[in-house]
């Protein structure tokens, strides 16, 4: 039976045209079901064992400012997060995360853009997952209860791919 322990903390400050949020959390999962790869002669054997911990944590903050009578909204967030895995497939990973968002309202229209930096995460099974940066530009038209939206995402990236990989000793993989 896996056990999950969580701790979350946060602080929000709201002023008329400015919002600030600070946050942090830590999740600890114990008694994980671990995948183990062994060889028996020329045969690869996949089996399971319990034990080890998976710890993931995040600290960061975000700020939003509203300008020009709230017609322009700017938001950005910055944080640090990571994972640590103990036991059979032990590993660790940490990264800085960043995202930004802008939205401008002009009558029945709004123009927006968003950016999220690339990231790599360690998963509970000892594998890694990496995603590329993400960005989007768009235009919305609003009329009563109807909204039409047109956008483009990652238009300057020729290959938007994700990657997963792991090395379990006798078995490894790397897929894009």
């Amino acid at each position: 039976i896996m056990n999950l322990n969580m701790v979350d903390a946060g602080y929000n400050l709201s002023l008329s045209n400015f919002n600030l949020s600070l946050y942090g959390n830590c999740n600890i999962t114990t008694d994980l079901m671990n995948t183990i790869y062994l060889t028996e002669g020329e045969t690869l054997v996949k089996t399971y064992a319990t034990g080890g911990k998976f710890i993931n944590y995040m600290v960061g903050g975000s700020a939003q400012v509203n300008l020009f009578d709230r017609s322009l909204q700017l938001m950005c967030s910055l944080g640090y997060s990571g994972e640590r895995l103990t036991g059979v497939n032990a590993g660790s990973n940490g990264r800085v995360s960043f995202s930004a968002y802008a939205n401008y309202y002009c009558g029945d229209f709004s123009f927006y853009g968003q950016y999220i930096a690339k990231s790599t995460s360690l998963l509970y099974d000892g594998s890694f997952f990496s995603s590329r940066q993400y960005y989007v530009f768009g235009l919305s038209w609003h009329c009563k209860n109807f909204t039409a939206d047109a956008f483009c995402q990652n238009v300057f990236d020729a290959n938007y791919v994700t990657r997963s990989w792991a090395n379990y000793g006798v078995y490894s993989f790397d897929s894009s």
Side-chain angles (χ1 to χ4, degrees):
I1 299 174
M2 293 191 322
N3 296 313
L4 176 63
N5 302 294
M6 299 181 295
V7 175
D8 292 305
Y11 173 77
N12 294 311
L13 172 67
S14 295
L15 303 174
S16 63
N17 287 313
F18 180 77
N19 296 316
L20 175 69
S21 295
L22 302 174
Y23 49 85
N25 69 39
C26 180
N27 300 312
I28 302 172
T29 306
T30 58
D31 297 326
L32 293 173
M33 180 69 71
N34 295 290
T35 304
I36 301 172
Y37 293 93
L38 307 167
T39 55
E40 291 181 2
E42 297 292 317
T43 305
L44 180 64
V45 177
K46 179 180 179 181
T47 187
Y48 302 93
T50 59
K53 294 179 186 174
F54 182 68
I55 302 165
N56 63 334
Y57 54 88
M58 176 177 52
V59 294
S62 64
Q64 178 178 334
V65 63
N66 301 307
L67 303 171
F68 308 120
D69 199 26
R70 302 181 78 79
S71 291
L72 177 61
Q73 298 171 340
L74 303 172
M75 187 175 107
C76 69
S77 65
L78 181 65
Y80 184 82
S81 57
E83 302 84 23
R84 183 169 175 248
L85 180 63
T86 65
V88 177
N89 301 316
S92 63
N93 183 62
R95 68 199 158 279
V96 173
S97 58
F98 174 76
S99 66
Y101 178 80
N103 192 7
Y104 180 70
Y105 292 98
C106 183
D108 291 338
F109 292 92
S110 64
F111 305 90
Y112 61 90
Q114 181 180 19
Y115 172 80
I116 301 172
K118 66 180 180 176
S119 68
T120 299
S121 300
L122 171 65
L123 305 180
Y124 71 93
D125 64 354
S127 65
F128 290 87
F129 177 80
S130 180
S131 63
R132 296 195 40 193
Q133 67 183 357
Y134 169 83
Y135 53 90
V136 62
F137 306 101
L139 165 69
S140 292
W141 176 66
H142 316 276
C143 182
K144 296 184 182 177
N145 292 329
F146 179 77
T147 299
D149 198 31
F151 65 92
C152 55
Q153 65 185 33
N154 291 65
V155 293
F156 304 113
D157 288 346
N159 296 321
Y160 183 79
V161 295
T162 58
R163 179 181 173 218
S164 298
W165 71 97
N167 185 351
Y168 298 113
V170 298
Y171 170 69
S172 63
F173 68 90
D174 191 338
S175 62
S176 295

